[in-house]
Amino acid sequence: MPELLGCVAEQPLVDHHCHGVLARDADEATLESMLNEGTGWRGGSQFDSQAGFAFRRWCPPVLGLPPHAELADYVARRAELGATEVSKRFLVGAGMSAMCVDTGFTPEPITSPAELGGLAGATAHEIVRLERVAEDVVAAGVGADGFAGAVRSALATRAAGAVGFKSIAAYRTGLDLNPERPSDAEVTAAAGRWLASYTPGRTGPPRIADQTLQRFLIWCGVDLGLPVQFHIGYGDSDVDLHLCNPLLLTPLLRAIQPTGVPVMLLHNYPYHREAGYLAQVFPQVYVDAGLATHNLGRRAPALLAEALELAPFGKFLYSSDAFGLPELYYLGAVLFRRALSDFLAAGLEEDLYSERTVVRLARMLCADNARRAYGLASQML
Ligand SMILES: [Zn+2]
């Protein structure tokens, strides 16, 4: 296996899209259920996959076990070390200087951004999930008439402590969105329809899934001037993947362009080439290959090379999209570094660029592009 280029191995990463980690120990069933976006089935294991083999190759040594250790031994060693020590080892091992943490997805207790940053030895920043804020406003009892104003003011409050917003319109309505900003009357009518179908205590927590309301939230985020992240492409079985092609966002990207607000297209796989095109033609669009990097395992170098076919190198950001398992932050980082090192080394070999350029590109792709796009303080090296 080729050595990593020094400039890639040593460069701290800015992970611009990730979530918290579990505070509890993880048994084999938990590891399998959180390894990827799939659901277990009888007679097989999710570990027999690219993500599974990458996990078994790279993670055991961090806990002092040989590569390819049996899962039962791995789980026993994990329990022996305890959740906090395991999290620390993987998060520190990922070599991050900063993280942008989506706090809107909490199906079970996970660490806050500050706790996550503490474990990783990195600065943690918050990304506020737009839908979650609207759902919290409704759960607090705000009616249709007060909805638009209450959401705007809640988002303005949250923006003060955050570096960006995130839209999961892809999960709720798909991305084929009318680009126009809805009027307050349209928002009130749509909120009324939504609230009519929601009975507190009877229908579960409120869940927003309405094109007018999704557009309203996105424009609220744009108006507050912070970067807006969009879930794109690959996700669990809640997404209709054919409605998550980023090209569907083209009219909205055109409408947002004059504001200059950065739009971050997350994950993108299998539409990473389409996303790269959008990053080239829209000045405010940035892309990553999070989630897919560790799910594709040894194919991560091919993914990165394809993502960088059209995307300007100054518009590509690193992300793990890790959730729950600290191993996923580590795997994302290891596989991204391997892919980037292969990519840059091939260019050096072909005399496509100089050693000096390679050092500059490594800094940009690992950290500086994200720092510039989110306005994060630059790191002292
Ligand atoms: Zn995510």
Side-chain angles (χ1 to χ4, degrees), residues 17-19 102 105 129 166 231 266-267 291 320-323:
H17 172 57
C18 60
H19 306 261
D102 173 357
F105 182 57
R129 196 180 279 207
K166 178 177 176 197
H231 175 96
L266 305 179
H267 324 321
L291 188 62
S320 65
D321 192 22
F323 173 87

Side-chain angles (χ1 to χ4, degrees), residues 75-88:
V75 168
R77 176 66 178 148
R78 223 179 174 284
E80 189 178 286
L81 291 168
T84 304
E85 175 62 20
V86 169
S87 292
K88 249 190 220 163

Side-chain angles (χ1 to χ4, degrees), residues 243-260:
L243 298 177
C244 299
N245 185 324
L247 297 179
L248 293 170
L249 279 181
T250 306
L252 185 63
L253 296 175
R254 233 174 248 138
I256 293 174
Q257 182 176 346
T259 69

Side-chain angles (χ1 to χ4, degrees), residues 96-99 113-114 116-124:
M96 296 174 288
S97 59
M99 324 166 76
L116 187 69
L119 290 166
T123 311

Side-chain angles (χ1 to χ4, degrees), residues 76 87 102 106 108 148 179 206 241 276 284 298 321 335 373:
S87 292
D102 173 357
T106 50
E108 67 169 299
L241 187 55
Q284 84 280 19
R298 65 177 292 280
D321 192 22
L335 293 169

